[in-house]
Amino acid sequence: MAETKTPSEAAAQYVGLYNDNRALIESACAAPALNAARPAALATLMTTPLPRLGDEGYEKTSVEKIFAPDFGVNVARKNIPVDVARSFKCDVPNMSTLSAFVVNDTFVPTASLADRLPDGVTFMSLAEAARRYPDIVESHYGRLAPADSAAAALNTLLVQDGVFIHVKAGVRVEKPLQLVNIFSAPVPLAAFRRMLVVIEEGAELRLLVCDHTQDSERAYAASQVAEIFVGARARFEMCAIEESSLLTSRMAQTYVAQQEGSATAINTTALTCGVSRNEWRVRLDGEHAESLLSGMAIGSETMHIDNDTFVDHYAARCKSDQKFKYVLDGSSRGAFEGRILVTPSAPFTEAYQSTRNILASGSARMHSKPQLEIYNDEVKCSHGATTGQLDAEQIFYMRQRGIPEAEARTMLMQAFMIDIVDTVGIPGVADRLRHLVERRFDGSLGACASCHNNC
């Protein structure tokens, strides 16, 4: 007889919240597709606990612990005034983009967004899209996030709004879209955010996503699930930058499905955070699809940064590449687990994965676990992981030329990250990201007079 799992304590409190406020949650959302998915999510949470420390795939991060505190949840959709411009006064890249915000868990477009969007492009509230475009939302929502994932089910159960992006076939969006997720509230808050991206055949889209916490003295927890559909011969690029506080925890799950001849390039950067768990799932379903997944993490103090990747090759003649780098200082903790699966139906696959890490202090720790699972002989695959310290000879060489040791260390750490920054192809974003990385290493990030962060 199969073992029956019991709900975790953290899941139980949210299940109770949903059961006590079900009518309010569903009426406030009023989105048929979102509400229709809740019963299955509830069933999953009743039998499957949130991942705990040491569970398979969660060797270093406990999702249970992230959601265990008694956070507030805005089920009644109360308006929480937030100065969104304040985030740009900090270090969120302010670029020439088509911009919108998610304030805690509510979509907030800029005043001119609808008028500036080109024909064939939709960028709006997910709840509103579920009412206005039910066929598109219902045929994609919840199709990639696995039904047996308790973390995804928690999001599905309580999400009330999110982001919907749709690009019609053949449309090339010249100007990047920018989404800024903001945390700011008078009480400790948990936000359940959802993003659904549908890029039809031959379309092209570039997206910049920034996660920002406006106040560092309050605890927050984010549950974020993104489902991204990339059609045949479509192109999608995303750069995600996290700049949150030590009291902000995040569980982010991103699912990507690619069709024939499509190409995606995703870069993820953790500049500052509390506890950040990021899961990246890419499925190559059509021949000649290509995927680039790159990331970097800069840890200090007690930051905890965990990236978990899984690239599935289901079709022939596809190519994937994963590149991740960490620099960890102070008592920070890093983790990277990456997996490549090549199925019998995917001959002539090329798949590569590497993670390189630097421990800049004696108390920093890094966990790396690259994995290959290959069921086909006609492949080119490799993986590798290295963890070390800054090169003492290089530091000595630079000090001999009059460069102070602290400055020499900073320069070496900046140089270590350059190739990851260079994977960003969105015009202007690579330069902004390079500047943010330099400020992160020299200690000036988040130090502007108008910002309450002390990153």
Side-chain angles (χ1 to χ4, degrees), residues 23-35 38 75 77 126-128 130-131 159-161:
L24 177 61
I25 291 170
E26 295 188 358
S27 62
C29 174
L34 276 61
N35 288 336
R38 300 188 201 277
V75 295
R77 316 307 297 154
L126 177 59
E128 183 180 354
R131 297 188 291 269
V159 69
Q160 292 180 276
D161 199 6

Side-chain angles (χ1 to χ4, degrees), residues 4 45 115 142 149 193 236-237 284 301 304 323 346 376-377 380 389 393-394 399 442:
T4 300
L45 290 171
D115 295 332
S149 166
R193 300 164 173 167
F236 174 67
E237 181 167 0
L284 304 174
E301 300 180 74
H304 179 103
K323 302 177 182 178
N376 204 298
D377 294 332
K380 294 180 181 179
Q389 298 177 325
E393 290 187 3
Q394 289 183 339
R399 291 187 66 188
D442 68 23

Side-chain angles (χ1 to χ4, degrees), residues 68-221:
D70 185 16
F71 291 104
V73 179
N74 189 13
V75 295
R77 316 307 297 154
K78 298 292 185 181
N79 180 43
I80 301 176
V82 175
D83 180 9
V84 296
R86 180 176 147 199
S87 291
F88 290 111
K89 295 177 182 177
C90 302
D91 296 296
V92 171
N94 189 2
M95 303 177 58
S96 179
T97 56
L98 301 168
S99 304
F101 305 86
V102 170
V103 177
N104 297 319
D105 60 355
T106 302
F107 182 84
V108 180
T110 53
S112 60
L113 177 62
D115 295 332
R116 296 174 62 204
L117 287 172
D119 292 339
V121 180
T122 304
F123 185 18
M124 65 186 302
S125 157
L126 177 59
E128 183 180 354
R131 297 188 291 269
R132 292 178 57 182
Y133 309 108
D135 292 345
I136 300 175
V137 175
E138 290 172 8
S139 61
H140 293 88
Y141 182 78
R143 304 306 182 194
L144 297 182
D148 60 353
S149 166
L154 178 63
N155 180 279
T156 300
L157 184 70
L158 290 174
V159 69
Q160 292 180 276
D161 199 6
V163 180
F164 175 73
I165 300 173
H166 178 226
V167 184
K168 290 184 177 181
V171 174
R172 298 182 177 181
V173 188
E174 297 295 334
K175 185 168 289 189
L177 306 187
Q178 183 174 15
L179 173 67
V180 183
N181 294 315
I182 298 174
F183 263 131
S184 182
V187 297
L189 189 71
F192 298 87
R193 300 164 173 167
R194 194 83 172 214
M195 183 166 69
L196 177 61
V197 179
V198 180
I199 306 167
E200 294 185 359
E201 181 177 350
E204 295 184 8
L205 174 68
R206 293 166 296 177
L207 176 65
L208 173 62
V209 180
C210 306
D211 275 26
H212 186 64
T213 302
Q214 286 194 350
D215 47 281
S216 59
E217 70 277 3
R218 193 161 290 113
Y220 298 101

Side-chain angles (χ1 to χ4, degrees), residues 68 83 110 112 125 192 218 282 294 319 336 348 392 418 432:
D83 180 9
T110 53
S112 60
S125 157
F192 298 87
R218 193 161 290 113
V282 179
S294 61
K319 182 177 180 179
F336 174 83
F348 310 111
I418 286 299
R432 299 293 180 95

Side-chain angles (χ1 to χ4, degrees), residues 328-334 358-366:
L328 303 175
D329 206 346
S331 298
S332 61
R333 297 291 184 267
I358 288 178
L359 301 182
S361 74
S363 55
R365 296 290 182 270
M366 182 68 200

Side-chain angles (χ1 to χ4, degrees), residues 348-361:
F348 310 111
T349 287
E350 291 186 49
Y352 309 101
Q353 179 192 104
S354 69
T355 174
R356 297 175 59 198
N357 316 295
I358 288 178
L359 301 182
S361 74

